[in-house]
């Protein structure tokens, strides 16, 4: 995983609350068995509407998504994170993220940064007034910055550390292989197995 | 101070704990299906890692399998490729798999419990958000993403941050005709789709204790729709009776040891929850959703709400948008809403008791001419049992379609879909835009309400029906 320290780019305003993962990527796109190439499924239904924000040329190069509250609810599909990344997003800003989506983001290297809804409103106004506004999301300082706006964001300490270092979770866990084996010896005899009975 | 059920199960699974790091938890059961696993197996292959415990892993084909002609190759080439990838991966990594056509195939969340693999005090994960279902046994069970699937395959553990606990206490007796589905729809309407975020919910109170395991599974299943990754019910005699004699349940002395342990798991009297919601069971009635998220639900006797009822601007926009998508007018009685499709099935309501409830309503009645009704058992085993009980004949006589097991129209990854603009009453768990097919409109209901709606052609409860 690549290290994430700070990101600056164009931000797209998504003025919707409760953006569920079925909207982020509909189930029909989940049949693929590859890890990349999900950009065409991102917000597939909404993108059929010419007025949809991502269809506006000024937001074609957006790398930061500024969304309403409760982003990423619903299905656990990690494809939602992959679709956002494949499309070109590096950061999603929202005042509240669904737990599974937030977890998936951290693992995939997409920064889900939580800010106050008032900051979301300020950003929406700023980028709608001037779509070329450069927004910086600084993971080192935990700060969102744009012209006239400086605001802190919340991100889990451990996720932040992993993103800053670009570390792979499985590698970290396997450093504790001895402890896992020791735990397995302590498990109760009645615990079920799926092979045999 | 005492501990809650969730805290006890968590603490019993900590492999590694250090300040500033998430706890590393051991996973007792990992369920796998075709949609969220191919990239995880690929990851293992790329890094040369084996599956650490294939004997604690079980795979089944459910999300995109067809529910007719299952003896023929899957027609959709993309679905077929995904199912075939699962078969190849399971063979290569030694993971047991119940394939289409096997008597144990079905929706993962129906299969685990019916085999007796889901037991109290366990940690259960699956790359599917409705893994919360298994919490009905007093297991800590939650959905994970594909990276986490790979992590569990490789290590049989997961690094997890502690959660908060919320008690949802439903006290009193449920009125006649009010089911577990109505309880959970009412809970979600009350606390909202984000209300449970960061929490494990523990459902408590006499109304919950009075429910069967099937009913408890329906409730825990939809914890995720309230924003919580997991929901739990303390194990009791109802739980033990359900498990006794099942294929993977302990026997003999091990059974006694297990029951003694399971009995120790209930939340201590002096434990405290971070939040508590109390619901009066007697105040509940059949619930139905009118909008495009599961929190947009109301009693069936209510009217479609108006944007003017909203508490704030965000909610006003959400109601407006939902009404537009759903093609509904504020003030319309919910009972006046006509549907063209009724779906009974899913990991929420695809178990034997759900099919019995729907069949009970349909007995001696006919599905309205304007309605197509699909009955999709949650597993091949449920299907067999229903046939032994003659439920299939009731459904067919009423004019419903009796299908093979799978996720089916809950998420429309197989050919069972709504056409654009079609409206369903569905016993599934999500009424999101396009969930049951692009442009489809979904009203979430209980199996009894689904069956009554099929007869009337409009949203209805069994009490609306004249005697058969």
């Amino acid at each position: 995983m690549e290290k994430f320290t700070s990101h600056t780019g164009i931000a797209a305003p998504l003025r919707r609350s409760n953006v569920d993962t079925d909207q982020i990527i509909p189930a029909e796109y989940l049949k693929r068995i590859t890890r990349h190439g999900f950009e065409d499924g991102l917000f597939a239904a909404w993108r059929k509407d010419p007025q949809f924000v991502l269809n506006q040329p000024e937001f074609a190069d957006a790398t930061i998504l500024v969304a309403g509250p409760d982003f990423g609810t619903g299905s656990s599909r990690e494809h939602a994170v992959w679709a956002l990344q494949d499309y070109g997003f590096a950061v999603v800003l929202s005042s509240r993220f669904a737990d599974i989506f937030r977890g998936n983001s951290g693992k995939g290297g997409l920064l889900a940064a939580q800010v106050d809804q008032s900051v979301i409103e300020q950003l929406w106004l700023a980028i709608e007034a001037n779509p070329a506004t450069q927004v910086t999301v600084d993971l080192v300082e935990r700060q969102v910055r744009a012209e006239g706006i400086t605001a802190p964001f919340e991100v889990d300490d451990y996720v932040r550390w992993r993103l800053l270092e670009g570390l792979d979770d499985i590698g970290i866990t396997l450093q504790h292989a001895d402890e896992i084996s020791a735990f397995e010896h302590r498990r109760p005899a009645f615990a079920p197995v799926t092979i045999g009975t | 101070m005492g501990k809650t059920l969730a805290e006890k199960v968590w603490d019993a699974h900590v492999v590694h704990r250090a300040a500033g790091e998430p706890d590393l938890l051991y996973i007792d059961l990992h369920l796998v299906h075709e949609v969220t696993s191919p990239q995880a197996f690929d990851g293992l292959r790329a890094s040369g890692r084996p599956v650490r415990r294939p004997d604690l892993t079980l795979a089944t084909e459910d999300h995109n399998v067809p529910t007719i002609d299952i003896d023929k190759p899957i027609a959709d080439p993309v679905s077929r490729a995904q199912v075939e990838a699962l078969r190849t991966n399971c063979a290569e990594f030694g993971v047991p798999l119940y394939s289409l056509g096997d008597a144990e195939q079905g929706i993962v969340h129906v299969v685990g419990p019916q085999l007796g693999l889901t037991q109290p005090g366990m940690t259960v994960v699956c790359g599917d958000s409705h893994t919360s279902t298994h919490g009905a046994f007093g297991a800590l069970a939650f959905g994970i993403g594909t990276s986490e699937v790979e992590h569990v395959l490789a290590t049989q553990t997961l690094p997890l941050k502690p959660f908060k606990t919320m008690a949802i206490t439903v006290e009193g007796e449920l009125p006649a005709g009010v089911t577990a589905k109505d309880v959970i729809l009412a809970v979600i309407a009350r606390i909202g789709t984000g209300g449970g975020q960061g929490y494990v919910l523990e459902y408590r109170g006499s109304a919950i204790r009075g429910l069967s395991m099937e009913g408890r599974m329906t409730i825990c299943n939809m914890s995720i729709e309230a924003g919580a990754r997991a929901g739990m019910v303390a194990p009791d005699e109802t739980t033990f009776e359900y498990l006794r004699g099942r294929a993977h349940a302990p026997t003999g002395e091990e059974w006694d040891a297990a029951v003694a342990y399971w009995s120790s798991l209930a939340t201590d009297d002096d434990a405290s929850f971070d939040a508590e919601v109390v619901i009066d069971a007697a105040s509940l009635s059949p619930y139905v959703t009118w909008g495009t998220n599961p929190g947009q639900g109301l009693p069936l006797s209510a009217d479609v709400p108006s944007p003017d009822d909203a508490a704030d601007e965000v909610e006003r926009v959400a109601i407006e948008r939902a009404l537009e998508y759903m093609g509904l007018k504020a003030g319309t009685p919910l009972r006046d809403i006509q549907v063209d499709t009724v779906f009974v099935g899913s990991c929420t309501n695809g178990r034997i008791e759900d099919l019995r409830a729907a069949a009970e309503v349909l007995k001696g009645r006919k599905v309205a001419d304007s309605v197509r009704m699909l009955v999709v058992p949650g597993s091949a085993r449920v299907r067999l049992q229903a046939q032994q009980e003659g439920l299939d004949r009731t459904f067919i006589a009423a004019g419903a379609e009796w299908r093979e097991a799978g996720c089916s129209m809950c998420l429309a990854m197989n050919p069972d879909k709504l056409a654009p603009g079609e409206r369903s009453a569905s016993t599934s768990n999500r009424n999101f835009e396009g969930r049951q097919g692009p442009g489809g409109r979904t009203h979430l209901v209980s199996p009894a309400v689904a069956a009554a709606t099929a007869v009337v052609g409009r949203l209805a409860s069994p009490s609306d029906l004249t005697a058969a």
Side-chain angles (χ1 to χ4, degrees):
Chain A
M1 205 162 81
E2 281 184 36
K3 293 183 181 182
F4 187 123
T5 50
S6 180
H7 175 85
T8 299
I10 302 275
L14 184 64
R15 282 187 176 265
R16 300 197 188 201
S17 58
N18 259 296
V19 175
D20 59 76
T21 53
D22 274 78
Q23 303 315 316
I24 299 173
I25 185 161
E28 60 188 286
Y29 291 91
L30 309 190
K31 295 182 184 175
R32 298 181 185 162
I33 54 177
T34 56
R35 169 68 177 74
H36 291 287
F38 291 94
E39 61 277 8
D40 55 339
L42 181 71
F43 299 124
W46 293 347
R47 272 162 68 194
K48 288 178 189 151
D49 173 5
Q51 300 303 314
F52 183 60
V53 61
L54 295 186
N55 290 331
Q56 308 315 308
E58 57 269 34
F59 295 117
D61 297 324
T63 54
I64 299 169
L65 188 66
V66 185
D70 292 316
F71 188 87
T73 55
S75 148
S76 62
R77 60 191 67 167
E78 198 158 340
H79 311 67
V81 171
W82 303 339
L84 285 161
Q85 290 180 311
D86 290 348
Y87 190 87
F89 287 107
V91 180
V92 181
L93 295 170
S94 171
S95 63
R96 202 158 56 182
F97 290 96
D99 289 336
I100 298 180
F101 178 85
R102 191 207 312 266
N104 288 342
S105 296
K107 294 184 193 313
L110 176 76
L111 176 57
Q114 186 173 323
V115 296
D116 282 344
Q117 182 61 22
S118 62
V119 176
I120 297 286
E121 305 277 353
Q122 288 176 48
L123 285 167
W124 279 344
L125 291 176
I127 55 191
E128 281 165 358
N130 176 16
T133 300
Q134 293 286 302
V135 176
T136 296
V137 181
D138 185 335
L139 185 57
V140 180
E141 300 295 329
R142 295 185 202 234
Q143 222 173 46
V144 182
R145 294 187 294 270
E147 200 179 341
I149 302 170
T150 300
F153 67 79
E154 280 180 44
V155 61
D156 174 72
D157 286 337
Y158 184 73
V159 169
R160 175 173 171 269
W161 169 72
R162 283 181 52 262
L163 288 171
L164 289 171
E165 301 291 328
L167 285 173
D168 152 26
D169 260 354
I170 296 179
I172 298 173
T173 293
L174 287 176
Q175 294 169 357
H176 304 297
D178 290 348
E179 287 165 273
I180 298 173
S181 298
F183 184 92
E184 286 176 329
H185 287 294
R186 297 198 301 272
R187 296 181 74 229
F190 57 75
V193 290
T194 58
I195 300 173
T197 49
Chain B
M1 197 176 73
K3 289 194 219 174
T4 63
L5 164 64
E7 289 160 351
K8 289 183 190 182
V9 178
W10 180 289
D11 288 349
H13 289 84
V14 175
V15 169
H16 173 83
R17 179 176 278 172
E21 294 176 27
D23 280 355
L24 190 63
L25 286 206
Y26 198 80
I27 302 302
D28 291 318
L29 177 64
H30 183 194
L31 299 167
V32 172
H33 63 85
E34 75 275 15
V35 176
T36 54
S37 66
Q39 293 87 355
F41 282 111
D42 261 357
L44 292 183
R45 222 174 263 122
S47 51
R49 290 170 175 146
V51 173
R52 182 182 177 92
R53 294 295 301 267
D55 62 332
L56 302 183
T57 311
L58 180 70
T60 180
E61 300 164 1
D62 58 4
H63 276 60
N64 60 66
V65 297
T67 55
I68 45 170
D69 297 335
I70 63 164
D71 50 334
K72 303 196 178 80
I74 299 175
D76 175 355
V78 191
S79 289
R80 190 169 67 234
Q82 206 165 51
V83 168
E84 279 168 3
L86 181 68
R87 291 174 187 173
T88 308
N89 287 329
C90 286
E92 181 181 339
F93 288 92
V95 171
L97 165 70
Y98 291 124
S99 277
L100 200 55
D102 192 291
E104 302 302 343
Q105 175 269 341
I107 307 175
V108 280
H109 311 311
V110 178
V111 168
Q114 94 192 352
L115 285 169
L117 279 169
T118 302
Q119 297 174 12
M122 289 173 62
T123 46
V124 181
V125 299
C126 173
D128 185 282
S129 58
H130 289 111
T131 309
S132 56
T133 311
H134 307 262
F137 291 81
L140 182 62
F142 47 89
I144 57 179
T146 299
S147 296
E148 291 171 306
V149 170
E150 183 182 342
H151 196 283
V152 177
L153 288 172
T155 70
Q156 204 58 36
T157 65
L158 265 186
L160 289 164
K161 265 194 65 171
F163 50 78
K164 294 177 286 181
T165 56
M166 182 188 294
I168 308 259
T169 306
V170 189
E171 210 61 74
E173 202 169 326
L174 293 174
V178 177
T179 68
K181 183 65 165 284
D182 304 308
V183 173
I184 189 62
L185 286 176
V187 166
I188 300 164
R190 166 91 164 261
I191 72 174
T193 55
Q197 259 170 43
Y199 291 96
V200 169
L201 310 182
E202 183 182 328
Y203 302 97
R204 302 158 59 83
S206 54
I208 301 295
R209 284 197 302 277
L211 290 173
S212 65
M213 288 314 295
E214 281 87 350
R216 295 177 188 184
M217 282 190 257
T218 298
I219 288 187
C220 289
N221 172 275
M222 288 189 72
S223 300
I224 185 71
E225 273 63 52
R229 275 180 93 165
M232 302 175 86
V233 175
D236 58 11
E237 279 304 318
T238 304
T239 322
F240 308 152
E241 276 314 303
Y242 178 96
L243 281 167
R244 193 192 302 273
R246 293 202 178 251
H248 290 269
T251 52
E253 282 176 24
E254 283 187 354
W255 171 263
D256 297 336
V259 169
Y261 174 61
W262 297 342
S263 302
S264 73
L265 292 171
T267 293
D268 295 326
D269 290 339
D270 57 343
S272 69
F273 291 90
D274 298 302
E276 180 155 18
V277 172
V278 179
I279 288 178
D280 174 15
S283 72
L284 297 175
S285 62
Y287 251 68
V288 24
T289 62
W290 53 268
T292 54
N293 77 56
Q296 292 175 323
L298 282 170
L300 180 59
S301 55
D303 297 340
V304 174
S306 159
D308 300 338
D309 304 338
D312 57 43
E313 180 62 13
V314 169
E315 194 193 348
R316 194 186 63 76
V317 174
I319 295 179
E320 237 170 41
R321 193 174 158 75
L323 293 186
E324 188 192 333
Y325 181 86
M326 293 296 289
L328 293 174
K329 282 204 176 63
T332 308
L334 292 169
R335 278 193 162 88
D336 286 356
I337 297 173
Q338 294 198 355
V339 309
D340 30 55
T341 303
V342 170
F343 172 66
V344 172
S346 86
C347 59
T348 309
N349 282 127
R351 284 169 285 268
I352 189 68
E353 198 173 273
D354 303 311
L355 301 191
R356 284 180 195 143
E360 175 69 26
V361 174
L362 286 181
K363 211 170 185 107
R365 297 192 169 98
K366 289 279 184 197
V367 173
D369 289 341
S370 55
V371 172
R372 166 178 68 142
M373 181 174 186
L374 256 64
V375 183
V376 182
S379 70
R381 183 66 64 194
V382 167
R383 188 171 193 276
L384 286 172
Q385 188 177 349
Q387 290 182 170
Q388 280 161 9
E389 295 180 17
L391 305 183
D392 57 327
R393 291 193 294 279
T394 303
F395 290 125
I396 292 165
E401 296 176 39
W402 177 243
R403 297 296 192 90
E404 304 280 349
C407 298
S408 179
M409 197 183 270
C410 173
L411 81 171
M413 281 191 82
N414 77 345
D416 307 336
K417 294 184 203 311
L418 294 181
E422 275 190 334
R423 185 184 297 280
S424 77
S426 176
T427 66
S428 55
N429 41 57
R430 289 184 176 144
N431 52 344
F432 298 154
E433 292 179 19
R435 170 82 176 183
Q436 296 191 291
R441 296 159 168 166
T442 303
H443 297 276
L444 301 177
V445 296
S446 72
V449 168
T453 298
V455 171
V456 176
R458 294 184 310 275
L459 292 176
S461 68
S463 64
D464 297 329
L465 302 176
T466 48

